[in-house]
C-alpha cells in the first residue's frame, strides 16, 4: 500500500509561522540576570573614547592657536 502525500494546510503553516515569530520575540526580550551581568562586566572594562577628529586636524588646531597666542604676545613687544 503506497502512502498518500498530504496537502499542505495553509492554516497550520500560518500558525507555525506565528509560533516561530513568538519564540523569536521571546528571545529578543531582555533577560534581567544576563543584562545585569553584562552591564557589570562592561562597567569594569576600561572605556575607550574614540573621536571622529583625525590626529592631523588636532595638530593643525593646536598650531593655529599657538601662532595666534604668539602673535598676540610678540607683536606688541616688537613695537
Amino acid at each position: 500500500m503506497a502512502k498518500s502525500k498530504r496537502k499542505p494546510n495553509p492554516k497550520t503553516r500560518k500558525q507555525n509561522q506565528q509560533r516561530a515569530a513568538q519564540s523569536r520575540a521571546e528571545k529578543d526580550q531582555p533577560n534581567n540576570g544576563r543584562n545585569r551581568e553584562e552591564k557589570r562586566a562592561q562597567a569594569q572594562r576600561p572605556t575607550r573614547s574614540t573621536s571622529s577628529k583625525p590626529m592631523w586636524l588636532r595638530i593643525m588646531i593646536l598650531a593655529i592657536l599657538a601662532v595666534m597666542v604668539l602673535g598676540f604676545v610678540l607683536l606688541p613687544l616688537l613695537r
Side-chain angles (χ1 to χ4, degrees):
M1 197 189 298
K3 288 187 177 181
S4 63
K5 290 187 177 181
R6 286 180 154 181
K7 290 184 180 178
N9 186 349
K11 187 175 182 182
T12 307
R13 186 174 188 182
K14 189 173 184 179
Q15 288 173 347
N16 289 341
Q17 288 175 345
Q18 287 175 345
R19 279 194 212 118
Q22 277 181 334
S23 66
R24 268 187 257 122
E26 288 170 1
K27 287 179 185 176
D28 291 342
Q29 287 180 344
N31 180 343
N32 288 333
R34 189 180 76 213
N35 287 344
R36 200 174 300 127
E37 289 175 15
E38 288 175 4
K39 285 179 185 176
R40 191 176 302 129
Q42 189 177 14
Q44 290 174 353
R45 274 187 250 128
T47 57
R48 283 187 174 178
S49 61
T50 57
S51 177
S52 61
K53 292 187 209 79
M55 186 60 76
W56 66 267
L57 182 61
R58 293 179 184 193
I59 293 170
M60 186 66 74
I61 292 170
L62 288 175
I64 291 171
L65 286 174
V67 168
M68 287 173 62
V69 168
L70 287 174
F72 186 74
V73 172
L74 289 178
L75 284 178
L77 290 176
L78 292 174
R79 289 185 182 172

